[in-house]
Each structure stands twice: as C-alpha cells, then as structure tokens.
Amino acid sequence: MNILHLPWCLFGAHQRDRRKAWYDGPVVRSHCTGCGKPMVKDGHGWHLDSAEAQTTSE
C-alpha cells in the first residue's frame, strides 16, 4: 500500500497497481495502490470490485 495515495482513496479516487494486474476471463483484475481493495476493469473502465465487496461483507 502507498500511504501517499491513501487520502485519494477516501474521496473515491482509487488507482490500480499496474504491476500486479492479471487477466481473469473477460475482465482484468488488480488492487488499489492506496488501500489495497480489489479492483476490476471491464467495459466501463477501472472500478472497485463490487462482487468481492459483497462476499466479504456477508
């Protein structure tokens, strides 16, 4: 995690870790460099992985 990027995460401006991105079927997955949350890239661009958030909250 990058402590300098963490304040941006608080405002929803997450940035993916380019070094640790991998293909997972039709999407590309990575983690946020600031907070470490899982991210996914699909047809709409990069965003937090909502499926991962739902499974961890249950």
Side-chain angles (χ1 to χ4, degrees):
M1 292 190 320
N2 184 349
I3 195 80
L4 298 176
H5 191 71
L6 193 56
W8 289 100
C9 295
L10 297 174
F11 294 106
H14 299 276
Q15 184 172 350
R16 75 203 178 283
D17 187 353
R18 294 180 181 187
R19 296 179 186 171
K20 296 182 181 177
W22 70 94
Y23 288 103
D24 188 21
V27 297
V28 181
R29 296 190 181 272
S30 186
H31 290 90
C32 176
T33 57
C35 61
K37 291 183 180 179
M39 297 185 72
V40 63
K41 180 182 180 184
D42 55 13
H44 303 290
W46 284 98
H47 52 87
L48 291 179
D49 190 1
S50 60
E52 184 72 24
Q54 291 174 358
T55 58
T56 57
S57 65
E58 293 177 355

